[in-house]
Amino acid sequence: MLTPVLRRFFPFLNWPRPNRQTLGRDCWAGITVGLVLIPQALAYATLAGMPAHTGLYAALLPSVVGVLWGSSALLAVGPVALTSLLVYGALSPIAQPGSPQWVALAIWLALYAGIMQFLLGAFRGGRIASLVSTPVMVGFINAAAVIIIFSQLPALLGMELSPGGSAGIMERLRNAAAIPIVPVFGCTAIALLLALRRFLPRLPGILIVTIGSIAVSTMVGYSSAGGNVVGDVPSGLPPLAIPPAISLDSHRHLLPAALIIALISFTEAMSSCRVLARKTNEQWDENQELLGQGLAKVTAAFSGTFAVSGSFSRSALNLYSGAVSAWSTLFAAATVLAFLLFLTEYLFHLPKSVLAAIIIVPVLTLLDLNAFRQLFAAKASDGVIAVVTFLVTLLALPHLYWGVVAGVCLSVAAHFYRKCRSR
């Protein structure tokens, strides 16, 4: 008989014993999610300003730790667009994307955010995530979606500049026109992803487009024609190590951003947990999930990668593919592991414009301008909070956390105002 302490700190000991039928369903679902996760992980690493291969590191051990110590069996933990954007926004004022300093800062950012989430879970502070109210999330997510889409247009259309370069929009467009193969690949990838999602939703569109683009890129000489490709991806396990040293000023800069990442990423994960619970009648615990999410981020830090979170799209795919237990996540991680060990060489010719498309298409679903209208219809103050959060997030770029801060402050002020008026 497991004691309450063991149940709380080792929740995977409560997992039901699998049988051949459930393992078969979990294996199929896990492989499906893992194959989709591989190109997504590469894409979200580039969104976070990290080397592409660190996305695969974020998809491996952190996902296993997240499901072992979390409370939602089907929640897929790993790199996600929103958290990756927050990482980029936090670090872009103080480092060059992809540089060793950037990587070191991203590792510490994951560590701090993970420790904050773990402590909140350990002291049963899950309710604090409610500070990030629905209007704040609506405003922030819509602003983040706009920022993500526009940030990927240079890579999608071939308007990228070399580090430290500068050019006007017309010069960028001329550069893109000079290498037409880049926008052709990028726009074709978007069209195919949208078509597959609309007409053949059961097929893994991201995987199909990734494999197809690698094959076509190799045949037509995409890189020789001037297109940017992923290039060499190191094979093997992530090098587990203590986070590298950074300056005291850098530590101070990271703390506010880490708090925002901890709150936003957990709020995003909670939304996924609630949806999964409604569909599966699964019981989950927000404090236990905080422990799992926190430990996943700490594991990401020691794996040399960036902060992770719960993914709504991959969790939905996990459920859609027939997963019945947390074993599906272990099979997904095994798929990523096999790829890291034996198949990374096949990623060399993957066009970066296709990675941009892989980021843009899922993010389009985050854009929900109708949500603003619904908030205004239900309560005008909520609509105002959402709009202010949206605008401040855009105007404060790259310091995205100010949008959340503004929204939270307005929410608290509105709450106290209503309390005073009701007396």
Side-chain angles (χ1 to χ4, degrees), residues 127-202:
R127 294 287 182 183
I128 197 172
S130 61
L131 283 173
V132 186
S133 61
T134 298
V136 176
M137 285 299 294
V138 167
F140 182 78
I141 288 176
N142 276 277
V146 171
I147 293 168
I148 290 171
I149 291 169
F150 276 93
S151 73
Q152 295 307 302
L153 290 181
L156 182 80
L157 302 176
M159 298 189 297
E160 291 182 295
L161 297 173
S162 60
S166 61
I169 184 64
M170 294 308 298
E171 184 176 342
R172 290 189 179 202
L173 289 173
R174 283 194 295 269
N175 292 340
I179 313 175
I181 195 170
V182 177
V184 166
F185 264 71
C187 294
T188 301
I190 285 184
L192 288 173
L193 287 169
L194 291 173
L196 286 168
R197 189 172 68 183
R198 174 68 176 85
F199 299 108
L200 297 168
R202 288 185 174 274

Side-chain angles (χ1 to χ4, degrees), residues 42-415:
L42 297 170
Y44 293 149
T46 62
L47 177 60
M50 296 286 285
H53 66 276
T54 61
L56 297 175
Y57 295 166
L60 187 58
L61 293 178
S63 68
V64 174
V65 170
V67 76
L68 287 177
W69 273 273
S71 66
S72 180
L74 301 187
L75 180 66
V77 179
V80 297
L82 193 55
T83 302
S84 297
L85 176 65
L86 287 169
V87 171
Y88 188 91
L91 303 185
S92 56
I94 58 175
Q96 179 69 34
S99 64
Q101 182 191 9
W102 181 283
V103 173
L105 292 169
I107 289 170
W108 277 101
L109 189 59
L111 182 61
Y112 281 137
I115 290 173
M116 290 174 183
Q117 284 189 330
F118 181 84
L119 291 176
L120 281 174
F123 290 101
R124 310 193 71 81
R127 294 287 182 183
I128 197 172
S130 61
L131 283 173
V132 186
S133 61
T134 298
V136 176
M137 285 299 294
V138 167
F140 182 78
I141 288 176
N142 276 277
V146 171
I147 293 168
I148 290 171
I149 291 169
F150 276 93
S151 73
Q152 295 307 302
L153 290 181
L156 182 80
L157 302 176
M159 298 189 297
E160 291 182 295
L161 297 173
S162 60
S166 61
I169 184 64
M170 294 308 298
E171 184 176 342
R172 290 189 179 202
L173 289 173
R174 283 194 295 269
N175 292 340
I179 313 175
I181 195 170
V182 177
V184 166
F185 264 71
C187 294
T188 301
I190 285 184
L192 288 173
L193 287 169
L194 291 173
L196 286 168
R197 189 172 68 183
R198 174 68 176 85
F199 299 108
L200 297 168
R202 288 185 174 274
L203 296 180
I206 290 176
L207 179 63
I208 292 171
V209 169
T210 299
I211 294 174
S213 66
I214 291 173
V216 175
S217 170
T218 304
M219 287 189 294
V220 304
Y222 179 87
S223 59
S224 301
N228 285 335
V229 294
V230 170
D232 290 315
V233 176
S235 62
L237 296 174
L240 298 179
I242 296 173
I246 59 174
S247 68
L248 184 59
D249 284 343
S250 296
H251 284 289
R252 284 198 294 262
H253 176 87
L254 293 178
L255 289 175
L259 178 59
I260 296 299
I261 288 176
L263 291 175
I264 292 293
S265 68
F266 182 62
T267 303
E268 183 182 22
M270 278 201 305
S271 299
S272 299
C273 289
R274 291 192 183 106
V275 172
L276 291 170
R278 285 198 298 269
K279 291 183 178 295
T280 64
N281 295 319
E282 175 192 44
Q283 297 296 317
W284 70 286
D285 178 79
E286 59 188 9
N287 293 305
Q288 187 63 54
E289 197 58 50
L290 269 170
L291 291 175
Q293 293 284 318
L295 288 173
K297 287 180 174 61
V298 171
T299 304
F302 285 98
S303 299
T305 187
F306 53 99
V308 297
S309 184
S311 168
F312 181 81
S313 62
R314 291 195 301 274
S315 299
L317 177 61
N318 202 20
L319 180 64
Y320 186 76
S321 302
V324 293
S325 75
W327 281 91
S328 62
T329 295
L330 301 185
F331 283 114
T335 303
V336 175
L337 175 62
F339 198 91
L340 266 171
L341 292 177
F342 306 113
L343 300 172
T344 56
E345 62 185 284
Y346 295 103
L347 293 172
F348 184 93
H349 292 285
L350 176 59
K352 288 190 175 181
S353 59
V354 174
L355 287 184
I358 290 172
I359 293 172
I360 289 173
V361 171
V363 167
L364 288 173
T365 62
L366 297 179
L367 277 174
D368 185 10
L369 300 182
N370 188 50
F372 290 98
R373 183 186 62 80
Q374 293 173 345
L375 286 172
F376 272 110
K379 188 180 293 184
S381 60
D382 285 350
V384 171
I385 291 168
V387 170
V388 169
T389 303
F390 177 84
L391 293 175
V392 173
T393 301
L394 292 178
L395 294 173
L397 188 71
H399 304 284
L400 304 180
Y401 56 84
W402 284 116
V404 178
V405 171
V408 169
C409 290
L410 271 180
S411 296
V412 173
H415 173 75

Side-chain angles (χ1 to χ4, degrees), residues 1-86:
M1 189 71 177
L2 296 176
T3 67
V5 173
L6 284 177
R7 289 179 183 276
R8 175 160 170 72
F9 289 101
F10 302 98
F12 54 89
L13 297 177
N14 295 316
W15 288 4
R17 185 183 298 274
N19 56 45
R20 182 176 297 181
Q21 182 181 7
T22 60
L23 272 181
R25 294 178 62 181
D26 285 332
C27 180
W28 170 251
I31 292 174
T32 302
V33 172
L35 291 174
V36 170
L37 173 57
I38 290 165
Q40 275 194 338
L42 297 170
Y44 293 149
T46 62
L47 177 60
M50 296 286 285
H53 66 276
T54 61
L56 297 175
Y57 295 166
L60 187 58
L61 293 178
S63 68
V64 174
V65 170
V67 76
L68 287 177
W69 273 273
S71 66
S72 180
L74 301 187
L75 180 66
V77 179
V80 297
L82 193 55
T83 302
S84 297
L85 176 65
L86 287 169

